[in-house]
Amino acid sequence: QGSFIDALVVLQMMVRDALNQAMDEELERDERVFLLGEEVAQYDGAYKVSRGLWKKYGDQRIIDTPISEVRAGLRPICEFMTFNFSMQAIDQVINSAAKTCYMSAGFQAVPIVFRGPNGSSAGVAAQHSQCFAAWYAHCPGLKVVSPWNSEDAKGLLKAAIRDDNPVVFMENELMYGVPFEMSEEALSKDFVLPIGKAKIERPGNHVTLVSHSRCVGHCLDAAAVLAKEGIECEVINLRSIRPMDTDAIEASVMKTNHLVTVEGGWPQFGVGAEICAKIMEGPAFNYLDAPVTRVTGVDIPMPYAKILEDNSVPQIKDIIFSIKKTLNV
Amino acid sequence: TQTFICCDLHGLEEGPADTAVLTRDQGLSYYRCMQTIRRMELKADQLYKQKIIRGFCHLYDGQEACAAGIEAGIERTDHVITAYRAHAFTYTRGVSVREILAELTGRQGGVAKGKGGSMHMYAPHFYGGNGIVGAQVPLGAGIALACQYQGNGQICVALYGDGAANQGQLFETYNMAALWKLPCVFVCENNRYGMGTSVERAAASTDYYKRGDFIPGLRVDGMDVLCVREATKFAADHCRSGKGPILMELQTYRYHGHSMSDPGVSYRTREEVQEVRSKNDPISLLKERMLSNNMASAEELKEIDGEIRKEVDDAAQFATSDPEPPLDDLCKYIYHNSPPVQVRGTNPWAKLQSVSSS
């Protein structure tokens, strides 16, 4: 007999803890799952995402690796301290993980998760700030996922671990410490979100905003400001970059007639560029009242100085400006 | 004064001479150099805690004898490349404390005009400052190749840590450097920990001076600036005489954690850190040697300390008051010697223009 108070209790959970919970549950559920990476065990994780797991599961299942490429045949979760370091192992991710199922005609599956922080942080300069969404999403054979909030983090990580294919799971360092409400459903051990499905975080009629990861929050902030001026934005959280939920974007554009994409990565050949191409190839094109606008990071290596860094990534004012230009208001 | 130089050898019949001479001038110079590095790093610690420095900051205090000794063992015209624990080498290679601190605080007066930050500082014949572990080593061999190609008698010192020592690209580099007899001194600064992982947990063999296999190697005490100097001279001569690359392991220690976000005591004890500080500090070792041999007086060294304190304080003052780079700098130096290109800003209406360096 449940108490009516249960329904009122809403737990706040940080993204880092949601990721931790996802891994903990999946490690418990399936003994073929294990975690390896630099400092994931005794150090509790460079960003503390794997805190407590080594104490609970021990040396065999939580493995500290020396700095080197990683490959295994069970159901590994491979942590890259940041995706910038994944470039050291990128041949393995693409040529050994992504292509193997296809090359072997389905004989050899590669159920592996590559996870870690992606994109810019704060003051970590050019070699540590790149967004790899476009690079990985370019490759068939990979699935590429980019959570925003705690619910995304937990549900999508569990999905990624249970998926029998190589999944690139892109987290965001600046989001690790951000708390979000978690529903009772999200707290359950079987909470899994489907890969390939976007979520409408905020419905609206005037313009569609499509984003992933931290920028989703910026879009919601911009939408709140514009709502006061009578502009209602529909904010779509992509959740998956590959496969991308094109249907959701198209349905929204056919309703709003305007589309603005927002990402932290560089513009050329990026996520926004792909969305533009997809929209032009599909039924939503005829519903556009204006060209699609892409809001992106500036097309430069990330500078260190704060004033320069702040102006190298999309700010809320850039999103608002772009929406108004697109709507011609 | 004469000191006994102790050295482990691999693939070498003889190493540096058993004894080395330290003159008073040299002693004072090494003391000043190491003390400046020490005070500069501690000032950076302070500025980081005040949030005036942000992002990554990997401090070198404890390892001063390595940077100072290497610089004493090579020529100004030789080349140096290292990883991200690079402030000390930026200094020994000729950049002022002012310009280093101002780079850490992200100001236009910084050595990289605020564009690079802690891990990306450069100077003539100093190639940074590299953020990706181990990536600087193949680059170092490339620099050595350039020296060989140009026949200028110069060498390259390519440094890396005990963590990077297990990187695959190092072994590829060893192979090519040995095959082509490149004038490259590979230096492993073994400070016992790769971030939070001790050498025993990371390496199948912790004899880093032997890891070059067919490349001869030597291992010395990295806390003794004279040992480092003598080993470096020996290694440099080896390269210059056309014998090919050589590997040098310096056994050293860092007092700080891996970076400013690592307290440094979850994987090692405070007692261990204290023990090194009290028994093996590189600056204290030199100081005691000079005092006990009457090469300098305590007052003299204290005066030098005072001068350094002022120099570092003035540098910090500059680093906190110098303005940030102007927004116009955003698209500067994407390319070199190239016509300007249009650079896309955050949205299609933000059209910026690049300015190349020349």
Side-chain angles (χ1 to χ4, degrees), chain A residues 36 39 78 112 114 152 154 169 222 228 241 244 257 290 298 305 307 323:
Chain A
L36 73 181
E39 308 299 349
C78 170
I112 187 169
F114 300 103
D152 291 352
K154 183 178 170 191
F169 189 89
K228 296 191 190 130
I241 314 292
M244 194 184 285
N257 312 116
V298 178
I307 194 175
I323 292 168

Side-chain angles (χ1 to χ4, degrees), chain A residues 148 172 211-220 262-265 314 319:
Chain A
W148 166 54
N172 185 291
S211 185
H212 71 101
S213 190
R214 189 157 179 261
C215 285
V216 173
H218 296 331
C219 287
L220 288 170
V262 184
E263 69 199 284
I319 302 172

Side-chain angles (χ1 to χ4, degrees), chain B residues 28-44:
Chain B
L28 290 173
S29 161
Y30 305 157
Y31 180 83
R32 184 181 284 273
C33 179
M34 293 199 288
Q35 189 71 292
T36 305
I37 295 168
R38 175 70 56 94
R39 297 253 73 89
M40 176 178 74
E41 295 294 79
L42 293 180
K43 180 61 72 177

Side-chain angles (χ1 to χ4, degrees), chain A residues 39 64 127 294 296 304 309, chain B residues 54 104 114 131 196 201 344 346:
Chain A
E39 308 299 349
D64 274 334
Q127 290 179 339
R294 297 179 294 162
T296 68
Y304 167 67
E309 184 179 50
Chain B
R54 43 199 283 278
L104 292 178
R201 289 204 304 131
R344 192 194 199 271
T346 58

